[in-house]
Amino acid sequence: VFPFLTTSAKAGVKAGGYLKDFWQYSHSALDGRAYNLNTFRARLSLDAQLSAVQAHVDYDHQVAAGSFFRTTEYRLFGYSPPQPWLDMQQTISTGTLHGWGHGAHRAWIGVEDERGALRAGRQRIAWGTGKLWNPTDVLNPYSPVSVERDERGGVDALYARAGVGALGQAELAWAPGDRWIESALLARGRANWEGWGDASLLAGKIAGSTGSFILGGDFAGNLLEGTLHGELAWFNPEIRTPYWKAGLGYDYTFTSGTALVFELYHAGNGRVGASQNYAGATYSKDLNALLKLEAVGLVNAGDGSTFFMPSVTWNALNDLYLSAAVQRFGGERRTEYGRMPNQIVLSAQYWF
């Protein structure tokens, strides 16, 4: 436990959040039938602080409706994503064409000062330096083809961070499960080289079996007025052959405001012939003060399948953002991206 100092900060609570509505039109990947899905989410965010004690909650109400609820996917897999360890979500009602639920997207309490931090609850533990793929981020895995790219899942965990030296850090994360097999216990050390960048080492137990573990690290540093970043992770799942994952990327922002990211990624999985190699890039450009253009492109080098997602966002009013995006999947029917259906996504989001 860290010896936190009492600060002079006054007690206070800040409230915010957003209202978001997004509409999707696509086809079933199983039977090819067209469907639509409209999702409305109201999120209330609360931040509380009393001296070194801090707490944060993102509380959601979400209603989804549309012909998606008649698809084969819904009958087989349902609508809700996999549930975290703590029971902080509840389905209020379901019908032939709708579902309504509420719960905590984030909910943690902890203490923090200049020496370190200690938090418990549902939180985002952001490890790794990749923008599209994060081999070392085993607690909050992220898909680069996600419809909501700005929404990152959390993990129910106990997290501790302590400062080491001038700029270094030592971190510990325990993400429990109902059984030891489902639990993760990870330690991470981070160092800074002044004038260049950061590097980290990671090791510990991961979910999967009683003795499964990971060894890895990441780095990010200045190169030619941009940032070179990379990650490497070696996995021993016990239940199959050990394997490794690695990513290397470079991001650069031009004086015009155009930002580019390029990454290469190798994803092993311990099965012969099942490893995959990828290349990906992102592009973003503020066309003017109110209009932003973005695009994401991915290629699976092994099967030749592709993913492309252009989007445009308009700041229509103060704190109101309207966006339109298209997800285009290409490749043969049995390939990774080729089997996924194209879709159109329209959204409106108001922050308060």
Side-chain angles (χ1 to χ4, degrees), residues 134-181:
N134 292 110
T136 62
D137 193 354
V138 294
L139 296 178
N140 300 123
Y142 167 73
S143 171
V145 301
S146 173
V147 171
E148 292 187 276
R149 292 179 49 79
D150 56 345
E151 286 289 320
R152 300 294 183 100
V155 60
D156 297 333
L158 178 66
Y159 170 78
R161 183 187 74 246
V164 178
L167 298 172
Q169 289 183 347
E171 298 173 276
L172 182 68
W174 175 41
D178 291 334
R179 300 178 298 165
W180 175 246
I181 290 177

Side-chain angles (χ1 to χ4, degrees), residues 5-347:
L5 301 177
T6 301
T7 69
S8 59
K10 297 181 179 179
V13 177
K14 295 181 180 179
Y18 67 71
L19 303 174
K20 184 176 184 179
D21 189 88
F22 60 100
W23 177 84
Q24 300 165 254
Y25 176 80
S26 186
H27 293 76
S28 167
L30 300 177
D31 58 28
R33 295 179 60 184
Y35 71 82
N36 63 80
L37 177 64
N38 191 87
T39 305
F40 173 78
R41 181 186 304 128
R43 173 169 297 171
L44 175 64
S45 298
L46 298 174
D47 286 286
Q49 182 173 355
L50 177 62
S51 296
V53 180
Q54 300 179 6
H56 176 83
V57 174
D58 288 335
Y59 172 63
D60 291 352
H61 264 271
Q62 182 164 300
V63 179
S67 57
F68 169 80
F69 290 89
R70 290 177 175 169
T71 62
T72 304
E73 281 90 340
Y74 176 73
R75 290 196 299 269
L76 293 176
F77 310 114
Y79 172 70
S80 300
Q83 297 298 307
W85 181 56
L86 296 175
D87 186 10
M88 295 188 188
Q89 281 120 346
Q90 181 186 31
T91 299
I92 298 175
S93 69
T94 57
T96 306
L97 292 175
H98 84 278
W100 176 21
H102 70 133
H105 178 68
R106 297 275 192 275
W108 58 262
I109 188 170
V111 289
E112 181 173 356
D113 69 3
E114 67 277 4
R115 299 190 181 193
L118 179 66
R119 295 198 301 262
R122 183 162 301 164
Q123 55 193 291
R124 167 80 173 140
I125 301 175
W127 286 349
T129 55
K131 305 299 191 297
L132 289 170
W133 295 282
N134 292 110
T136 62
D137 193 354
V138 294
L139 296 178
N140 300 123
Y142 167 73
S143 171
V145 301
S146 173
V147 171
E148 292 187 276
R149 292 179 49 79
D150 56 345
E151 286 289 320
R152 300 294 183 100
V155 60
D156 297 333
L158 178 66
Y159 170 78
R161 183 187 74 246
V164 178
L167 298 172
Q169 289 183 347
E171 298 173 276
L172 182 68
W174 175 41
D178 291 334
R179 300 178 298 165
W180 175 246
I181 290 177
E182 301 165 348
S183 302
L185 181 60
L186 300 163
R188 183 175 184 254
R190 177 172 164 267
N192 176 271
W193 282 272
E194 188 173 353
W196 188 77
D198 302 317
S200 302
L201 293 177
L202 170 75
K205 158 81 169 61
I206 56 175
S209 67
T210 56
S212 54
F213 66 91
I214 179 178
L215 297 173
D218 62 74
F219 72 89
N222 302 321
L223 179 65
L224 301 176
E225 300 183 351
T227 302
L228 180 70
H229 58 266
E231 299 183 40
L232 176 66
W234 184 76
F235 297 83
N236 185 350
E238 274 199 332
I239 56 176
R240 60 180 187 269
T241 306
Y243 59 93
W244 60 280
K245 296 183 178 182
L248 181 66
Y250 183 75
D251 52 274
Y252 186 87
T253 301
F254 296 88
T255 55
S256 63
T258 299
L260 295 175
V261 176
F262 178 76
E263 287 189 4
L264 300 174
Y265 176 55
H266 170 80
N269 72 356
R271 295 187 175 91
V272 177
S275 298
Q276 300 285 356
N277 296 302
Y278 300 84
T282 68
Y283 167 92
S284 65
K285 169 70 173 178
D286 289 325
L287 302 178
N288 56 47
L290 302 177
L291 201 60
K292 185 174 185 178
L293 178 65
E294 296 179 288
V296 180
L298 310 175
V299 177
N300 183 323
D303 60 25
S305 60
T306 60
F307 168 76
F308 181 59
M309 181 179 175
S311 65
V312 61
T313 302
W314 176 36
N315 185 188
L317 298 171
N318 287 340
D319 302 316
L320 175 64
Y321 295 84
L322 307 179
S323 68
V326 176
Q327 288 195 327
R328 176 70 173 87
F329 297 91
E332 298 296 327
R333 179 70 175 175
R334 295 184 178 181
T335 59
E336 179 181 6
Y337 297 136
R339 68 170 67 98
M340 302 175 72
N342 300 329
Q343 66 174 314
I344 298 171
V345 183
L346 305 177
S347 71

